[in-house]
Each structure stands twice: as structure tokens, then as C-alpha cells.
Amino acid sequence: MGMYFSGFATRTGEGCEDSVRRLARELDAADAVLVGAGAGLFTFAGLTYSGERLARYFSDFVRKYHFADMYSGGFYPYASESEQWGFWSRYIWINRYVPIPSDTYGLLHGLVKDKDYFVLTTNVDHCFQRSGFDRSRLFYTQGDYGLWQCSKPCHDATYDNESVVRSMVLAQGFSIAGDGTLELPPGGLDACSRMVPERLAPRCPVCDQPMSMNLRADDTFVEDAGWHRAAARYQDFVRRHEGCRMLLLELGVGGNTPVIIKYPFWRMAESSHKATYACVNLGESFCPREIVGQSVLLDAGITQVLRDVAREL
């Protein structure tokens, strides 16, 4: 399958309950499961970038810069490293180190843990590993909130950031509960007055340039040795299961980066009549007409679908 399709289908002739039952049957019968996870999955897990979480942890930034969501705040050209890391340290902590608000990832793990599975994801929140998934079966293509890299970059290495980020949020007056929950400073947030001391701003240990997030935003993204090992494991998984009865389970993948998960899954489904493509995505569940006969399309909430499938098994 190339870049041109004869059209797309949003239904396969089944109702939602029938589609859930079919997905459960395909999961049970599959020799292997390849999970493709996008932003919709962590949204259903409760890790939203706007609304209550934005208001709670970034009210001072919202008042000053009028951000609509955390994602927008990540691209703002702050005047100082103190303010930059004041924003980013909170962003990192509440999306990488706090407890996951819902059982969505746990439900998924329960469904695939006894299968020969692999996870390909554009998410950067580390929720899979934190929910019990085998790290050797994960490929985070777009980076990890828990890693820094040289902003230049002068070398291809990444660095764990948990201890420094912890110091950054504590320096702003926050406290951290025993389970990792970030607690607001006494009296709340007051117009960005509590920023990160400059001494905590991370510098590259090789060239002394500022560090940046290991997130794929431009051509400075570092693909370190761990990234390349994970990429090789993913390619090996796909190669070993060519021609097998494989379930291609796509969860919450939108249209921002379809070349990473969506298009490859469609191509794998077309190339093997034994493969089943399943798309679970509220408001965006569709597939090319060429593979509609071997597809399960669920325009529904991911968490509820996972619960319903678990009940069917």
C-alpha cells in the first residue's frame, strides 16, 4: 500500500458491542499483538494537558502568558532559564513521575501480558513501563519526559532527570507526597515569583551548553543507544511475525504523525490476510477500504473498550 488509497471506511457493518466481541476474539486468537499508542491513550488515562490540571499547577503561568494548555507553554521563549525550568520542572513531574490517574494502562497490560506483544508509541510519559510492561518490548519513538540531552547537541547521549527535577519543584515551594503527587505551595501560586535557582539549570557535561528535553521537536533530537536498541527490537518483532496471525491494536493515534504508527499498521494489514487491524479512537476511527474486511473500528473511549474486552475474555 502506498500513499494513495481508494477511500476510507468508518464502519465495518458491526455495532459497537459486536465490534468489542470481535476484538476480544481476535486478541484471544492472535499469535502476536503489536500495540500502537498515541496521545489519545494518555488522555484517557487522565494525563490531560488542559483543564483542571493546567489550572492547578500552572495558574501563575496562565495568568502571565495566557496559555491554553501545557503543550503551548513548552514552546514559549522564556526570558530566563529560571523561568523556563520553573515551567518545565512542573510539566515533567506531573506527566512523568506522579501516579497515573486511571487504570487504563493497567487494563491494557492485563490484556496483552500473556501474549507475545510489542508496543510502539509516540507518547513520552513512560506510562507503559510504570504499569508493568516489559521495557524490552517498548519503543518510545519520540523521546521521554524523564531524559535530558545537550541542546546543541554535541553528543548522542541522554541523562535521567528525576533527582534534579525533584529539586526544581521543591525550590518553587511545592512538596511531593510519598506516592509522588505534587502538592501546591502553601498559599498557592503567586505570579511566577518562585522560580528555579540558576544553579539548578542543567548544563551539558561535555560542552557546558544548556540541556534540553529529549523530545522530538526538530532535528536536534538525540536518538541515543537505548533508542536504537529499541528500534532494532521493534523491527525484529515485525520481521519475526510476518505471516503470523497478528493483531495490530491502534489506540488513540491521531493525524499528527501517521507515518510512525497508522500508515505502517495499514501496510502490515494489507500485506497479510492473517493480520487484523483494530482502531480504537473516539471521533477518529477509520481505515482504508482495502483492509476494511480485516479491520475492527471502534469510535469509542479507550478505557471503556479495554474494560469491555476484558469482560469478554
Side-chain angles (χ1 to χ4, degrees):
M1 182 182 295
M3 293 299 294
Y4 299 97
F5 312 114
S6 63
F8 297 92
T10 58
R11 298 181 63 86
T12 56
E14 301 170 315
C16 186
E17 291 184 2
D18 289 336
S19 293
V20 166
R21 293 190 189 100
R22 184 179 169 204
L23 178 55
R25 291 196 301 270
E26 294 294 343
L27 175 61
D28 185 55
D31 299 317
V33 180
L34 180 57
V35 177
L41 181 60
F42 70 70
T43 298
F44 272 97
L47 295 170
T48 53
Y49 283 176
S50 58
E52 189 277 332
R53 295 177 83 234
L54 177 71
R56 177 174 176 80
Y57 294 109
F58 298 94
S59 61
D60 48 357
F61 281 94
V62 171
R63 283 194 300 270
K64 187 173 182 179
Y65 298 112
H66 309 291
F67 298 146
D69 52 59
M70 298 177 213
Y71 186 77
S72 301
F75 287 96
Y76 192 85
Y78 297 103
S80 69
E81 286 188 319
S82 293
E83 195 174 39
Q84 173 190 344
W85 290 111
F87 175 85
W88 269 106
S89 59
R90 303 179 204 178
Y91 191 166
I92 296 166
W93 194 267
I94 68 170
N95 291 301
R96 174 66 170 76
Y97 297 117
V98 300
I100 302 168
S102 84
D103 63 346
T104 304
Y105 284 86
L107 287 166
L108 179 59
H109 182 244
L111 291 174
V112 304
K113 64 183 176 66
D114 295 326
K115 289 287 185 177
D116 187 359
Y117 74 86
F118 197 93
V119 177
L120 175 68
T121 183
T122 54
N123 297 344
V124 294
D125 47 38
H126 216 61
C127 285
F128 284 103
Q129 198 165 324
R130 291 194 281 152
S131 300
F133 286 78
D134 182 348
R135 67 180 300 173
S136 69
R137 294 175 177 268
L138 305 173
F139 181 23
Y140 293 91
T141 65
Q142 306 299 77
D144 183 344
Y145 282 142
L147 298 176
W148 282 330
Q149 64 169 73
C150 176
S151 60
K152 196 173 179 178
C154 71
H155 64 298
D156 293 338
T158 57
Y159 301 86
D160 292 337
N161 63 26
E162 181 176 5
S163 63
V164 180
V165 171
R166 176 184 288 270
S167 296
M168 287 178 172
V169 294
L170 294 176
Q172 295 176 74
F174 290 89
S175 58
I176 299 172
D179 65 355
T181 300
L182 192 63
E183 303 290 349
L184 294 176
L189 302 175
D190 50 3
C192 299
S193 63
R194 295 184 179 93
M195 287 295 103
V196 171
E198 289 187 6
R199 61 180 173 80
L200 292 178
R203 315 294 294 188
C204 174
V206 176
C207 71
D208 201 42
Q209 290 294 308
M211 297 289 264
S212 63
M213 298 300 300
N214 182 231
L215 304 175
R216 191 185 297 277
D218 54 33
D219 60 4
T220 64
F221 176 69
V222 166
E223 297 174 354
D224 65 6
W227 189 98
H228 285 285
R229 287 194 296 270
R233 288 193 295 267
Y234 166 59
Q235 294 297 333
D236 180 64
F237 181 89
V238 172
R239 179 188 56 76
R240 286 189 293 107
H241 294 94
E242 288 180 357
C244 291
R245 184 164 183 173
M246 182 156 65
L247 175 62
L248 303 163
L249 180 58
E250 182 189 294
L251 302 172
V253 176
N256 286 342
T257 52
V259 296
I260 296 174
I261 297 172
K262 191 175 289 290
Y263 292 171
F265 276 32
W266 289 350
R267 287 194 294 268
M268 281 186 269
E270 189 196 40
S271 66
S272 173
H273 70 278
K274 291 185 178 181
T276 297
Y277 169 70
C279 178
V280 184
N281 201 353
L282 186 61
E284 293 188 65
S285 183
F286 61 96
C287 72
R289 289 176 184 158
E290 286 86 346
I291 61 169
V292 68
Q294 60 195 96
S295 297
V296 182
L297 304 178
L298 279 154
D299 184 354
I302 295 171
T303 306
Q304 189 58 54
V305 167
L306 296 177
R307 289 184 182 136
D308 292 344
V309 168
R311 279 196 291 268
E312 290 292 327
L313 293 173

